[in-house]
């Protein structure tokens, strides 16, 4: 028992009932709910901080709808806390945090994706991808246009999805060029190594086949047929390696 100044005795029933007193409030938290309550409380506290930061963001006016949604989710989280539904409270608070973060960061993320995609498209044109991947490049440009249009309409979530798709498609096309260049470099090195090993005099037919195949791959590169160029370069590389091994074997005899 505890005695108050007024002489009134108050029994600490919470201790006898095996419950905890919620810090800063008058309700009781069951020991079995302590972990869930703690996680939900932390999520709500984080959401409040994220909302405060979002409120000061220069993007708030452009992201007003998202900001309002974040506030609504936070209010819902607090309601769930009052109903002791800590799982739903935590889920709603975490969604509020993510929306608040989107208010601050999403416009910048979209602009970065758009800029990187535009940069990739310039490179694609420079290496001739618009000749071999004309349809694909057009689709990428159309998707990028849609992304920019959604930015103008302040639909940043949709804009990010479109910009990310355009960026990924552009990178896939450029990877074909990079892989072809890598194969060409390996094939050229293999031919040089074979020559250094004396393949021109010992296995001239295999070496010539490797050189002819490599020349064909180079022609495909010049015509922007990157996949075909890569296949030809890989074949030339293997022929050159075969020539190298046989030239070494001849020397050892």
């Amino acid at each position: 028992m505890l005695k108050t100044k007024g002489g009134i005795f108050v029994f600490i029933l919470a201790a006898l009932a095996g419950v905890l007193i919620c810090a800063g409030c008058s309700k009781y938290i069951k020991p079995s709910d302590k972990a869930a309550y703690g996680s939900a409380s932390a999520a709500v506290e984080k959401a409040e901080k994220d909302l405060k930061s979002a409120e000061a963001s220069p993007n708030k006016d452009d992201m007003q709808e998202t900001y309002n949604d974040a506030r609504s989710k936070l209010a819902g989280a607090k309601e769930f806390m009052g109903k002791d539904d800590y799982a739903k409270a935590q889920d709603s608070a975490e969604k509020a945090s993510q929306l608040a973060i989107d208010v601050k960061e999403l416009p910048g993320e979209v602009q970065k994706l758009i800029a990187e995609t535009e940069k990739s498209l310039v490179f694609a044109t420079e290496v001739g991808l618009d000749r071999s991947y004309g349809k694909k490049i057009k689709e990428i440009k159309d998707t990028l246009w849609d992304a920019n249009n959604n930015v103008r309409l302040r639909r940043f979530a949709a804009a990010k999805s479109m910009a990310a798709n355009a960026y990924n498609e552009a990178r896939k096309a450029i990877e074909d060029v990079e892989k072809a260049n890598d194969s060409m470099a390996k094939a050229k090195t293999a031919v040089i190594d074979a020559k250094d090993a004396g393949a021109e005099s010992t296995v001239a037919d295999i070496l010539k086949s490797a050189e002819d195949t490599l020349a064909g791959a180079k022609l495909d590169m010049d015509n922007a047929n990157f996949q075909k160029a890569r296949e030809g370069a890989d074949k030339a590389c293997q022929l050159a390696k075969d020539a190298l091994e046989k030239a070494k074997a001849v020397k050892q005899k």
Side-chain angles (χ1 to χ4, degrees), residues 127-134 221-224:
V127 299
L129 270 169
D130 54 328
R131 285 181 283 157
S132 55
Y133 296 83
M221 283 290 290
D222 293 341
N223 291 326

Side-chain angles (χ1 to χ4, degrees), residues 14 97 105 124 158 219 237:
S97 281
E105 300 178 359
L219 184 60
C237 185

Side-chain angles (χ1 to χ4, degrees), residues 135-183:
K135 183 179 179 181
K136 176 58 68 178
I137 296 300
K138 183 181 183 304
E139 290 175 353
I140 294 170
K141 289 180 178 179
D142 288 344
T143 302
L144 198 59
W145 188 93
D146 288 336
N148 276 305
N149 191 44
N150 274 280
V151 168
R152 287 191 289 272
L153 296 172
R154 299 181 180 179
R155 298 172 182 167
F156 293 98
K160 181 181 179 181
S161 176
M162 293 174 182
N165 181 61
Y167 175 78
N168 290 333
E169 290 300 313
R171 284 306 312 167
K172 285 179 184 177
I174 291 172
E175 281 175 8
D176 283 348
V177 181
E178 294 172 342
K179 288 176 181 177
N181 280 327
D182 183 59
S183 291

